[in-house]
Amino acid sequence: MAADVLEIPVPDDWHVHFRDNELLTTTVPATAEMFGRAVVMPNLVPPVTSVAAALAYRDRILHALPEESAFDPLMTLYLTQNTTVSDVQQAARNSHIIGFKLYPSGATTNSAAGVTSIADLDAVFAAMEEHHVPLLVHGEVTDPDVDIFDREKLFIERNLAPLVAKYPNLKLVLEHITTADAVEFVKSAGKNVGATITPQHLLMNRNHLLVGGIRPHNYCLPILKRREHQLALQQVVLSGNPKFFLGTDSAPHARDRKEAPCGCAGCYSAPAALPLYAEFFEQHQALHLLADFAAGFGADFYGYPRHQRKIQLQRKPWQVANSIDSTVGPITPYWAGETLQWQVVKAS
């Protein structure tokens, strides 16, 4: 393979937000173009709390796909205080449902219906452990007196460590990790605990959000942390540890919702997702690690086969669009107007 062409198995995105309805015609093709599977987040309004609602949402996603696409959306159910053991059992029986998403109430976009008391869901977690249903976790405390930069660390100490100790065989993914604390927690936990990492948390730290003016399109939750935490994420990915894998947390918002007095959290990285990760690995002379991180470790963790189909990237500089038209208005993508060195040229 020529040095300017990189071929890897088709990757998967283990954490993505599509939103719903007309916006799906923008978001779904962007992800399906370069990923074979994606774990779809359930924080719609109203949230996706039942198997029936998840399957109906999946049908809407499939309807938005280009013809002959082999893309497979893997659905999640929104965990609430009203989730039951029966809900877990139904999810376990359906191959299109990959797990439950735990949002602490108020932690991020459309999380008001999220969990207010982890302790009161013991029966649900026991059922998830018994039926091998994964728990996907947005790991932040939401106490108003806690510094926003400490929310992940304290969630691990107060909630996640006790939960994993109580249910040692529960398959759990700590989503979009941002801190050295999360890296160490996942590394020290059992093989049933993994983590996803976004492109923005590998490529940026909080200086990229705040220095030289506020950059609303770099604002996401969990928020970008100081450089020492960014370095911890980079180091564990570059170590080739299989517990850490790709999850973009791509989250579209209309530009006027981001550039607002109270701007939305979320980076819409889908249009450039794989090239963004390639950019990171090339910066560290580690392109040989991209295939496992993007197309292997996540599938292995969740128990899916790695794709046999291939995708090619070409070393050919290109500029990410400044704006993307959508039914909710213009969207500014992550890395807008900036140049990336690799682009997707062919999937087979």
Side-chain angles (χ1 to χ4, degrees):
M1 191 68 65
D4 61 349
V5 176
L6 178 65
E7 184 175 85
I8 66 171
V10 169
D12 300 306
D13 187 347
W14 298 100
H15 183 134
V16 69
H17 298 266
F18 285 145
R19 310 307 184 203
D20 203 0
N21 301 319
E22 292 85 358
L23 189 54
L24 295 176
T25 61
T26 298
T27 58
V28 172
T31 291
E33 181 182 2
M34 60 188 81
F35 294 104
R37 292 174 286 238
V39 174
V40 182
M41 294 296 105
N43 57 332
L44 305 183
V45 180
V48 179
T49 57
S50 69
V51 169
L55 296 181
Y57 182 28
R58 185 173 188 272
D59 284 344
R60 297 194 295 276
I61 292 168
L62 293 175
H63 186 71
L65 283 171
E67 288 187 15
E68 301 181 0
S69 173
F71 177 74
D72 184 13
L74 304 171
M75 311 309 293
T76 55
L77 300 185
Y78 194 116
L79 189 71
T80 75
Q81 294 302 134
N82 297 318
T83 300
T84 66
V85 169
S86 176
D87 293 328
V88 175
Q89 293 168 340
Q90 291 179 51
R93 291 193 293 265
N94 195 294
S95 61
H96 297 309
I97 310 298
I98 197 170
F100 283 80
K101 180 61 183 277
L102 190 166
Y103 289 106
S105 181
T108 189
T109 303
N110 298 340
S111 63
V115 170
T116 55
S117 174
I118 289 176
D120 290 341
L121 291 172
D122 274 350
V124 170
F125 296 132
M128 293 178 71
E129 183 180 48
E130 176 186 356
H131 294 283
H132 311 291
V133 176
L135 177 65
L136 289 61
V137 180
H138 181 116
E140 294 188 283
V141 298
T142 57
D143 311 48
D145 59 335
V146 173
D147 189 293
I148 192 170
F149 294 101
D150 295 330
R151 285 168 37 155
E152 183 174 275
K153 177 179 185 293
L154 289 178
F155 183 89
I156 293 169
E157 293 174 0
R158 295 178 182 178
N159 299 301
L160 206 54
L163 184 67
V164 168
K166 192 168 188 177
Y167 302 101
N169 296 313
L170 175 63
K171 187 177 282 289
L172 185 148
V173 179
L174 185 53
E175 306 268 37
H176 45 46
I177 63 169
T178 65
T179 60
D181 310 273
V183 169
E184 290 307 312
F185 173 79
V186 173
K187 285 171 61 177
S188 64
K191 62 182 181 180
N192 54 305
V193 176
T196 57
I197 303 183
T198 74
Q200 63 264 27
H201 290 107
L202 288 172
L203 291 166
M204 290 182 169
N205 56 65
R206 64 189 188 183
N207 281 357
H208 297 91
L209 175 64
L210 298 170
V211 171
I214 296 174
R215 313 296 176 90
H217 300 288
N218 294 343
Y219 172 56
C220 58
L221 289 173
I223 199 166
L224 296 167
K225 304 299 193 298
R226 63 170 65 244
R227 178 162 172 74
E228 67 190 63
H229 292 294
Q230 179 194 13
L231 289 174
L233 300 183
Q234 292 178 343
Q235 288 163 6
V236 78
V237 169
L238 295 171
S239 76
N241 189 315
K243 302 182 77 173
F244 301 84
F245 41 88
L246 185 154
T248 62
D249 192 23
S250 179
H253 291 285
R255 181 183 301 149
D256 61 0
R257 297 287 307 280
K258 293 285 288 180
E259 299 174 3
C262 186
C264 295
C267 297
Y268 183 50
S269 58
L274 193 56
L276 284 163
Y277 285 106
E279 186 85 5
F280 162 73
F281 282 104
E282 181 163 66
Q283 286 177 2
H284 296 272
Q285 295 78 53
L287 274 170
H288 62 286
L289 297 176
L290 176 63
D292 277 338
F293 178 79
F297 294 154
D300 297 345
F301 180 86
Y302 276 109
Y304 288 85
R306 297 188 180 197
H307 295 290
Q308 295 302 305
R309 295 180 294 122
K310 304 291 185 181
I311 193 167
Q312 283 188 0
L313 294 95
Q314 183 178 13
R315 189 195 305 275
K316 185 177 181 182
W318 65 287
Q319 189 176 70
V320 179
N322 285 303
S323 181
I324 295 171
D325 292 332
S326 81
T327 57
V328 299
I331 296 173
T332 300
Y334 179 63
W335 220 255
E338 299 295 330
T339 298
L340 290 168
Q341 300 304 309
W342 289 88
Q343 58 180 283
V344 173
V345 292
K346 187 174 86 173
S348 60

